[in-house]
Amino acid sequence: MPAKSVFTVIGGDKRLYFLAQELLKTGPVICCAAVEVPQGAVRADSLREAFQAGDILLFPVPFTRDGETIPAAAPISIQEAVKEIRKEHRYVFGGKLPEQLKARCRELNVPFFDWLELESVALPNAILTAEGAILEALQAHASLCRTRAAVLGYGRCGKALAARLRGLCTETVVFARNPLQRAEAEMQCIPAEPLEALSGSMSMGQYGLLFNTIPSMVMSGEMCSRLSPGAVILDLASGALEQHMDTAAIRSAGARAALCPGLPGKYFPEEAGRILARAVLTELNASA
């Protein structure tokens, strides 16, 4: 990676603070609209100044929460940020990058990377998400050691979560559509069933804790009506809670459901920020 690279960090939460802190070991860092700036970094007075001074742009994870602004100390409009990207910028990084930013980068021939699509971020993030989910479960549930847990889905996050729950709960069962994923779970001595088995007349009521990692409607009203009173469902999948389960039926059954976004940033911002920084440096070195 060329020594003259200057990193511009735009807004974000505590993860981007630690990202900036880590990148300072490599080169100059400019922070724009940050709540807190690490020692050694430069605080820019305006978005234009920040974009003109740096050649590598680093946006938050997620890039936007409302579809209109970038989360920052003073919210920045997406349109304002996109129009400041110039052909002199060497790389753009961010989480869940919007299409208008990607289009602008393609137009200017500026390479862009979505952190959430990089395995160097997705894999360690899955571990942090799983451990954050367990912290959420401990706060929401009286005890884990006498609880049966169900994990819906066995992708990166499901694998990390099931492996940890196995040693904490009375029983942990994986429910997954893919037979190969079920075979992988059973290779780890974790019982696995087809996802449709969860809708069986007796299945739902067995579990005091359910963790959903599948970003689609997986818990219908009929299924949710058979939840045991006091059961807790933690939704780790992207999207709204109502896109994945029937929340009215869950309430009627006396159970509770909660969407749990951004667990790495909530519980482990330092490690999450360093994961992002390492991914940036890995991609820049690979592209050099």
Side-chain angles (χ1 to χ4, degrees), residues 126 128-141 143-144 147-155 157-166 168-176 195 198 204 207-216 218-219 227 231-237 241 244-245 250 256-260 263 267:
L128 298 186
T129 299
E131 294 179 355
I134 290 170
L135 290 173
E136 293 278 333
L138 288 168
Q139 294 176 56
H141 204 271
S143 173
L144 298 187
T147 300
R148 286 186 170 87
V151 177
L152 282 61
Y154 200 65
C157 184
K159 289 175 183 177
L161 182 56
R164 286 155 177 77
L165 289 172
R166 181 178 59 178
L168 295 172
C169 297
T170 300
E171 180 185 29
T172 299
V173 179
V174 166
F175 290 87
L195 186 61
L198 192 59
M204 291 293 282
Y207 301 104
L209 272 173
L210 298 95
F211 299 84
N212 178 50
T213 69
I214 303 171
S216 62
V218 290
M219 295 176 64
L227 285 162
V232 174
I233 305 102
L234 299 179
D235 192 357
L236 312 180
L241 192 65
H244 308 149
M245 58 195 71
I250 290 170
R256 291 173 291 156
L259 186 65
C260 302
L263 294 180
Y267 289 110

Side-chain angles (χ1 to χ4, degrees), residues 93 115 118 120-121 274-284:
F93 290 84
W115 273 316
L118 298 175
S120 57
V121 172
R274 288 176 176 166
I275 288 169
L276 296 178
R278 289 194 291 268
V280 169
L281 298 177
T282 297
E283 294 301 327
L284 297 187

Side-chain angles (χ1 to χ4, degrees), residues 83-101:
K83 74 178 183 181
E84 291 293 344
I85 298 175
R86 308 184 318 276
K87 62 182 180 180
E88 289 80 14
H89 289 128
R90 295 177 51 238
Y91 300 96
V92 173
F93 290 84
K96 296 185 180 179
L97 296 174
E99 283 304 318
Q100 62 191 102
L101 180 140

Side-chain angles (χ1 to χ4, degrees), residues 38-55:
Q39 185 176 2
V42 175
R43 186 189 291 272
D45 293 329
S46 69
L47 189 67
R48 175 159 294 183
E49 175 190 338
F51 277 48
Q52 287 178 345
D55 59 345

Side-chain angles (χ1 to χ4, degrees), residues 16-112:
L16 262 62
Y17 169 86
F18 288 110
L19 162 76
Q21 189 177 72
E22 189 71 13
L23 291 177
L24 278 166
K25 301 173 184 177
T26 304
V29 174
I30 298 164
C31 293
C32 177
V35 175
E36 188 177 359
V37 176
Q39 185 176 2
V42 175
R43 186 189 291 272
D45 293 329
S46 69
L47 189 67
R48 175 159 294 183
E49 175 190 338
F51 277 48
Q52 287 178 345
D55 59 345
I56 297 173
L57 305 180
L58 306 165
F59 290 97
V61 180
F63 185 94
T64 181
R65 293 190 178 92
D66 60 11
E68 296 180 0
T69 61
I70 298 167
I76 301 165
S77 79
I78 293 176
Q79 289 185 345
E80 182 186 4
V82 168
K83 74 178 183 181
E84 291 293 344
I85 298 175
R86 308 184 318 276
K87 62 182 180 180
E88 289 80 14
H89 289 128
R90 295 177 51 238
Y91 300 96
V92 173
F93 290 84
K96 296 185 180 179
L97 296 174
E99 283 304 318
Q100 62 191 102
L101 180 140
K102 294 178 182 179
R104 173 72 169 169
C105 288
R106 293 188 188 104
E107 177 188 344
L108 299 173
N109 201 29
V110 174
F112 59 87

